[in-house]
């Protein structure tokens, strides 16, 4: 059976303990590879390698760093098809989705930050008649990047690329549930000739390997994407050490549909924003609020469209809904459907696990599920499910729906559908979310600030925000002597 290896100091290696974890294919329910169960000892080696590489990497010109990152982007692009297949097997997502979204986005992440590194500038402040101040933005040193399982290579590279572009050296850990494309990335970095120790990839459990990265005294910053509870655990360890933290956490995003929306576009996009990647995207809109005059029509058409989605083998191109990432996650999602019923919810569609035939007979699949008749403040409408489960609720007034939307502890993203421009601006201004899409969903421009408010996190990724995160500002004040 294939054994994934760590990537430390430019080489692939076994964990020091020689202990391994099982890696499952969610579409078959079977173990298909083994993951290093790395410990603090492996992390120590990785940090030492990164420290050793830092002086050389941080002193390279922006153009030299650009060249390495562009080379890695080109290699990912070359392997688009095989990486998409691997991502699909590891995560359960349809291969078509991985090929259209996940892997191309990993390419874009490297391209974007490769070029961004060459377009940075710093400020100067003239203290008239007395001094010139200029700001240096210097790479932090060794940083930790920790990512989740839902968009494995996409989010892993979204952290690594800006860190490397900024001149930092990285110790990174992908999710132990979806480690395979990160492993293949380490091979591509070797092929690209990335200097030893600049990027180190450690595999293993969050509470063990992840924790060791966060707690290491020489890791200056942690860029983390994952659950809110994990974010709290990380902050508890990192805050007393005054580490810089970027935490991209959970969400419970509202999708607000006004009666004056572009109906066909709203309907089509709401199917995607509800169920893409089996609803396992932090930006999925899981609470759909529809203005009452449109409610019954939307409900009927939405059920009809969602019922046409094909649940199936993720490797088949006709499949819209693949497997849920793990057995444990499948059970969590099903438990929320039971909770919704207990809370008085009416299941309009779905609600059950699905048994497929052939090679997927023991895989983990759930029907896309639509629930109505739930109060906005019940647990089903307040807690993150992170699966193919949405609730649908009518509303009468703008103020009322804003209250529903903002009633959760999360504040990641929101979607608003209306042709009324003034209303769109007004609602966007009042929604408590870091990212707001009007008449669209997941339309991404990598230059924009990305992140959440409230329990959805601290800090912003994207654009120059991420490059700044991985640097320390230093003000240099030079007194000017105008005499003589
Ligand atoms: P998770 O928090 O369980 O794990 C995320 C990563 O953190 C994994 O690599 C894990 O091994 C590691 N980890 C776990 N415990 C740790 C610890 N104590 N110290 C250090 N590292 C630790 O999250 P998950 O289940 O993999 O992902 C799903 C969650 O991620 C959802 O809540 C989802 O909303 C969120 N998410 C957020 C965004 C965003 O941009 N805001 C994007 C994607 C996913």
């Amino acid at each position: 059976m294939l054994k994934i290896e760590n990537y430390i100091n430019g080489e692939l290696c076994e964990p020091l303990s020689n202990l391994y974890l099982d890696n499952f294919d969610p579409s078959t329910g079977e173990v298909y590879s083994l993951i290093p169960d790395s410990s603090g000892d492996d992390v120590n080696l990785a940090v030492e390698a990164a420290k050793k590489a830092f002086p050389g990497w941080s002193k390279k010109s922006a153009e030299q760093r650009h060249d390495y990152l562009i080379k890695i982007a080109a290699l990912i692009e070359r392997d688009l098809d095989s990486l998409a297949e691997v991502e699909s097997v590891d995560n359960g997502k349809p291969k078509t989705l991985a090929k259209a979204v996940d892997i191309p986005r990993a390419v874009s992440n490297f391209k974007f930050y490769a070029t961004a590194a060459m377009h940075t500038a710093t400020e100067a402040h003239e203290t008239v008649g007395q001094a010139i101040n200029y700001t240096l933005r210097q790479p932090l040193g060794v940083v930790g990047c920790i990512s989740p399982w839902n968009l494995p290579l996409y989010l892993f590279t979204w952290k690594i690329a800006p860190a490397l572009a900024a001149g930092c050296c990285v110790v990174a850990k992908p999710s132990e549930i979806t480690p395979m494309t990160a492993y293949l990335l380490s091979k591509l970095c070797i092929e690209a000739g990335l200097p030893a120790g600049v990027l180190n990839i450690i595999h293993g459990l969050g509470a063990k390997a992840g924790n060791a990265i966060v707690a290491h005294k020489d890791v200056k910053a942690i860029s983390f994407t994952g659950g809110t509870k994990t974010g709290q655990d990380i902050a508890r360890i990192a805050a007393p050490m005054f580490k810089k933290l970027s935490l991209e956490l959970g969400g419970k995003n509202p999708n607000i549909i006004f009666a004056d929306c572009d109906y066909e576009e709203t309907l089509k996009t709401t199917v995607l924003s509800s169920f893409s990647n089996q609803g396992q995207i932090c930006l999925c809109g899981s609470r759909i609020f529809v203005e009452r005059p449109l409610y019954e029509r939307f409900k009927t058409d939405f059920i009809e469209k969602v019922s046409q989605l094909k649940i199936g083998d993720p490797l088949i191109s006709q499949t819209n809904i693949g497997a849920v990432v793990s057995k444990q996650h499948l059970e969590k999602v099903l438990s929320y459907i039971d909770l919704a019923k207990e809370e008085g919810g009416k299941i309009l569609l779905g609600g059950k696990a699905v048994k497929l035939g052939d090679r997927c007979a023991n895989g983990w699949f759930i029907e896309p599920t639509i629930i109505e008749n739930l109060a906005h403040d019940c647990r089903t409408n307040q807690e993150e499910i992170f699966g193919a489960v949405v609730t649908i609720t009518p509303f009468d007034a703008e103020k009322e729906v804003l209250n529903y939307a903002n009633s959760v502890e999360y504040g990641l993203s929101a979607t608003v559908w209306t042709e009324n421009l003034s209303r769109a601006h007004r609602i966007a201004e009042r929604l408590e979310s870091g990212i707001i899409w009007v008449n669209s969903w997941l339309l991404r421009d990598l230059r924009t600030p990305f992140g959440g408010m409230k329990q959805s996190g601290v800090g912003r990724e994207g654009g120059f925000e991420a490059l700044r995160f991985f640097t320390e500002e230093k003000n240099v004040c030079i007194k000017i002597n105008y005499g003589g």
Side-chain angles (χ1 to χ4, degrees):
M1 187 164 309
L2 173 68
K3 274 186 179 169
I4 288 175
E5 293 170 289
N6 287 331
Y7 171 51
I8 300 176
N9 202 24
E11 287 175 4
L12 297 172
C13 52
E14 297 186 342
L16 291 171
S17 64
N18 214 16
L19 294 174
Y20 287 84
L21 307 160
D22 290 338
N23 188 24
F24 290 87
D25 172 347
S27 68
T28 63
E30 279 161 22
V31 175
Y32 81 103
S33 62
L34 296 173
I35 317 160
D37 180 7
S38 308
S39 69
D41 294 336
D42 302 286
V43 170
N44 288 343
L45 286 182
V47 174
E48 283 314 308
K51 276 167 65 180
K52 210 167 79 204
F54 180 68
W57 183 249
S58 58
K59 289 287 174 293
K60 286 203 188 304
S61 68
E63 192 171 353
Q64 284 171 320
R65 288 204 287 269
H66 158 276
D67 291 350
Y68 283 109
L69 298 190
I70 283 291
K71 213 179 273 177
I72 296 169
L75 292 174
I76 299 174
E77 208 161 17
R78 181 197 69 190
D79 292 353
L80 170 68
D81 197 62
S82 56
L83 284 166
E85 179 151 335
V86 165
E87 200 73 293
S88 168
V89 170
D90 214 27
N91 172 280
K93 67 178 67 205
K95 181 183 166 188
T96 48
L97 182 71
K99 197 166 172 183
V101 177
D102 292 71
I103 310 305
R105 176 56 192 275
V107 174
S108 299
N109 290 341
F110 274 106
K111 281 187 182 168
F112 180 84
Y113 280 108
T115 51
M118 297 205 296
H119 294 270
T120 54
T122 60
E123 305 89 323
H125 300 88
E126 182 187 6
T127 314
V128 177
Q130 296 180 60
I132 298 280
N133 295 269
Y134 63 87
T135 309
L136 290 177
R137 293 185 188 278
Q138 297 174 313
L140 291 174
V142 179
V143 297
C145 297
I146 301 177
S147 60
W149 49 256
N150 65 321
L151 299 165
L153 194 64
Y154 174 136
L155 288 175
F156 196 56
T157 54
W158 181 230
K159 298 179 173 305
I160 290 169
L164 296 179
C168 291
C169 291
V170 176
V171 177
K173 194 192 89 60
S175 169
E176 61 275 28
I177 301 170
T178 52
M180 195 57 91
T181 46
Y183 172 53
L184 297 181
L185 176 69
S186 43
K187 292 187 170 187
L188 295 181
C189 290
I190 293 171
E191 189 177 343
L194 189 69
V198 168
L199 171 64
N200 304 274
I201 300 177
I202 298 287
H203 294 272
L205 298 169
K208 199 167 162 185
N211 182 279
I213 296 172
V214 175
H216 200 295
K217 68 176 179 28
D218 293 330
V219 174
K220 307 290 183 202
I222 299 292
S223 174
F224 168 79
T225 299
T228 295
K229 159 88 180 45
T230 314
Q232 289 166 345
D233 293 344
I234 288 174
R236 216 170 282 124
I237 296 169
M241 300 167 88
F242 303 115
K243 292 191 184 202
K244 268 182 124 175
L245 282 178
S246 173
L247 304 174
E248 302 294 336
L249 311 177
K252 186 74 179 176
N253 310 314
N255 178 8
I256 303 172
I257 300 171
F258 286 94
D260 70 350
C261 66
D262 174 339
Y263 187 70
E264 289 308 321
E265 191 62 27
T266 305
L267 189 62
K268 189 178 77 185
T269 309
T270 297
V271 173
L272 294 175
S273 67
S274 304
F275 299 115
S276 292
N277 205 36
Q278 298 71 249
Q280 302 166 150
I281 301 180
C282 54
L283 306 165
C284 279
S286 54
R287 297 178 295 146
I288 305 173
F289 301 110
V290 187
E291 205 175 6
R292 200 172 303 271
L294 193 65
Y295 185 75
E296 287 302 324
R297 179 180 170 206
F298 180 85
K299 184 173 100 178
T300 308
D301 292 346
F302 185 53
I303 293 169
E304 165 66 20
K305 273 220 175 312
V306 175
S307 61
Q308 288 167 11
L309 295 175
K310 199 170 165 352
I311 309 167
D313 184 337
L315 295 178
I316 291 175
S317 64
Q318 292 80 7
T319 294
N320 305 113
I321 306 272
V324 176
V325 75
S326 67
K327 185 156 186 283
Q328 193 190 19
H329 195 56
L330 174 116
E331 283 161 4
K332 176 188 161 186
V333 175
L334 290 175
S335 78
Y336 269 103
I337 295 172
D338 287 342
L339 174 70
K341 288 186 209 156
E342 281 165 30
E343 290 183 319
K346 181 175 167 200
I347 310 290
L348 298 174
L349 186 75
K352 294 187 295 296
V354 179
K355 278 279 154 224
L356 297 178
D358 303 329
R359 90 175 186 94
C360 296
N362 295 317
W364 305 312
F365 296 85
I366 298 186
E367 294 169 327
T369 299
I370 307 171
I371 308 172
E372 75 168 350
N373 201 33
L374 284 170
H376 75 277
D377 56 356
C378 69
R379 280 185 56 207
T380 309
N381 267 330
Q382 292 284 315
E383 297 175 15
E384 185 184 47
I385 300 173
F386 211 54
V389 179
V390 295
T391 63
I392 171 164
T393 309
F395 70 90
D396 295 294
E398 228 177 88
K399 207 166 159 205
E400 175 196 4
V401 78
L402 269 169
N403 176 41
Y404 293 165
N406 290 339
S407 68
V408 294
E409 62 178 15
Y410 297 106
L412 186 55
S413 73
T415 310
V416 184
W417 294 95
T418 179
E419 292 294 292
N420 179 333
L421 187 60
S422 301
R423 175 155 61 199
H425 285 303
R426 195 165 53 238
I427 298 262
E429 197 265 333
R430 292 174 190 174
L431 278 169
E432 294 168 0
S433 304
I435 303 150
I436 293 162
W437 278 290
V438 177
N439 299 334
S440 61
W441 177 71
L442 211 58
L443 185 56
R444 291 281 292 119
D445 180 326
L446 302 190
R447 295 170 301 174
T448 59
F450 179 94
M453 33 171 99
K454 295 157 74 176
Q455 297 290 300
S456 290
V458 221
R460 292 293 179 271
E461 298 186 324
F464 290 119
E465 310 272 344
L467 288 178
R468 290 207 182 107
F469 173 75
F470 290 112
T471 57
E472 184 89 77
E473 291 90 351
K474 187 186 280 175
N475 186 63
V476 182
C477 174
I478 304 178
K479 188 176 176 203
I480 298 173
N481 183 353
Y482 288 107

